[in-house]
Amino acid sequence: MRPVEVKNGIHWVGVVDWNCRNFHGYARSAMGTTYNAFLVEDEKKVLIDTVKAESLSQFLCNIAHICKPEEIDYLVVNHLELDHSGCLEKIVEKVNPEKIFVSPMGGKVLKTFFDCEDWPIHVIKSGEEVSIGKRTLRFFETRMLHWPDNMFTYIPEEKMLISSDAFGQNWATSERFVDEVDKGRVERLMAEYYANIVNPYSPKVIKTLESLDELGLDVDMLCPDHGLMFRGEEDVKFALDAYSRYARQECENKAVIVYDTMWHSTERMASAIASGIADGGCSVRLMSVKANHHSDIMSEVFKSGAVVFGSPTHNNGILPGMADVLTYIKGLRPQNKVGACFGSFGWSGECVNILTDWLKAMKLDMVEPAIKVRNRPDHDTLKECYELGLSIAKAIREKTGK
Ligand code: FEO
């Protein structure tokens, strides 16, 4: 896509990655993504953020619509993950910048990715300002949002906050602003992005939002480095409020049952538990690990008040697809949920103990009893599963207070 002037003299020069389906090598991005970058024309010309290595030619084309690369004076590197810095070496070569601004952690990370001994690196402290003519750049460290090096760049004269990974969504579009598309879809994709990328750092998000509040920054344009941008008071507030809810990990009166199955016994148990949850007054979704990507499962876990895991015993363990999902979800640290587990077995029956250990390691509040059955759930076992579903629904409603 061609550049878009988002403010007078400030152009979006990023790249739309229409066909990205594997974001960062682990998360599904069904709608593609964008790598947003901004060129500010003032007494100093400033390029804020770059793009991944594979998108270099489109990026250079977009810059060339505005100015020659060598006319750029400063580079701002808000984040060094390679979706934002993969082409940095090439850009430094083309631009030959007078200064490159990075956070203190950014200065350290830069040296581990690039041979940058002769680069004009300027490490800036949080809150520091740099005048570029009529405008000022003010920088804020936002460690672990989503790496230790992240920072925001604020342009007070434009009320513009460039927020790197925060508030991003994986959505490749021809539109650049949220007010040009379906806002409900933006919210869903922003929540998916948060669940799969940002969730482990929720305490940092709360601190960042508090600091923004204390600083009283006037923001009328919020520009994440992925997806659509928020302009106007209403849409900026929409994004900030959503992050505040996400960071508190507020959950809904719903449960997700994540299961794997060999000969449908565990699946039948899952179905009976689901009936109990539904009759107990909560919404429920069954997700087979074979039919669903771990990112989609995590997006559902993120919203749910209960997470229920079921697997048959396989070779004294659990099925490998279930181990994949558990590993992924545990790393993303879901909080404020109840958990339960179940499974079938042929002879040794370790599944339920293994699942219980995973759920306890995730610090979920367990709903007992875990249910296991040899070979085939009979009527009594299915009744027990249904009753477990009722107990799970009760525990969810106690947790949410709804
Ligand atoms: Fe968009 Fe942490 O990279």
Side-chain angles (χ1 to χ4, degrees), residues 23-24 79 81 83-84 146 165 193 226:
F23 188 69
H24 290 27
H79 183 24
E81 190 158 15
D83 48 335
H84 308 289
H146 124 258
D165 280 335
Y193 180 97
H226 297 290

Side-chain angles (χ1 to χ4, degrees), residues 160-178:
M160 182 173 178
L161 182 65
I162 297 165
S163 60
S164 191
D165 280 335
F167 309 105
Q169 333 94 45
N170 285 325
W171 192 6
T173 54
S174 53
E175 296 78 10
R176 301 275 63 84
F177 287 100
V178 167

Side-chain angles (χ1 to χ4, degrees), residues 12 14-17 20 22-24 26 29 31-38 49-52 55 79-85 145-146 150 162-173 175-178 186 189-190 193-194 197-198 222-230 243:
W12 173 90
V15 170
V16 179
D17 193 346
C20 172
N22 186 347
F23 188 69
H24 290 27
Y26 58 82
S29 50
M31 307 296 293
T33 194
T34 73
Y35 314 109
N36 297 336
F38 304 89
D49 294 326
T50 66
V51 301
K52 70 192 272 193
S55 302
H79 183 24
L80 278 150
E81 190 158 15
L82 296 173
D83 48 335
H84 308 289
S85 72
L145 225 173
H146 124 258
N150 275 81
I162 297 165
S163 60
S164 191
D165 280 335
F167 309 105
Q169 333 94 45
N170 285 325
W171 192 6
T173 54
E175 296 78 10
R176 301 275 63 84
F177 287 100
V178 167
V186 172
L189 292 169
M190 188 161 56
Y193 180 97
Y194 189 97
I197 310 289
V198 184
L222 177 60
C223 305
D225 273 1
H226 297 290
L228 295 127
M229 298 175 276
F230 304 84
Y243 257 51

Side-chain angles (χ1 to χ4, degrees), residues 112-280:
T112 60
F113 273 122
F114 304 106
D115 297 324
C116 56
E117 291 75 21
D118 57 349
W119 291 9
I121 298 165
H122 283 248
V123 171
I124 38 179
K125 294 198 194 93
S126 197
E128 213 172 309
E129 291 188 346
V130 172
S131 172
I132 57 168
K134 293 190 202 70
R135 302 182 184 86
T136 314
L137 305 179
R138 195 184 299 167
F139 304 98
F140 299 100
E141 264 190 298
T142 53
R143 285 192 190 193
M144 302 317 298
L145 225 173
H146 124 258
W147 272 13
D149 64 296
N150 275 81
M151 64 178 186
F152 287 180
T153 300
Y154 179 58
I155 308 174
E157 296 81 0
E158 305 288 352
K159 302 181 182 177
M160 182 173 178
L161 182 65
I162 297 165
S163 60
S164 191
D165 280 335
F167 309 105
Q169 333 94 45
N170 285 325
W171 192 6
T173 54
S174 53
E175 296 78 10
R176 301 275 63 84
F177 287 100
V178 167
D179 57 27
E180 300 170 300
V181 298
D182 172 23
K183 209 191 246 187
R185 200 165 196 185
V186 172
E187 203 282 326
R188 275 200 304 285
L189 292 169
M190 188 161 56
E192 278 181 25
Y193 180 97
Y194 189 97
N196 284 279
I197 310 289
V198 184
N199 197 56
Y201 316 112
S202 290
K204 299 283 183 192
V205 174
I206 291 172
K207 279 200 177 142
T208 302
L209 293 174
E210 283 170 358
S211 334
L212 289 179
D213 214 30
E214 279 162 23
L215 290 163
L217 293 192
D218 196 0
V219 179
D220 81 358
M221 189 175 287
L222 177 60
C223 305
D225 273 1
H226 297 290
L228 295 127
M229 298 175 276
F230 304 84
R231 64 180 163 194
E233 193 181 332
E234 188 185 323
D235 281 359
V236 170
K237 185 173 179 319
F238 167 81
L240 294 170
D241 287 351
Y243 257 51
S244 171
R245 281 196 313 279
Y246 301 161
R248 290 197 304 275
Q249 300 209 40
E250 286 179 0
C251 53
E252 299 168 19
N253 274 4
K254 64 187 293 184
V256 57
I257 301 177
V258 182
Y259 71 95
D260 205 351
T261 197
M262 293 164 69
W263 299 107
H264 305 292
S265 291
T266 302
E267 189 166 58
R268 289 177 68 202
M269 296 169 82
S271 193
I273 295 169
S275 296
I277 294 171
D279 288 353

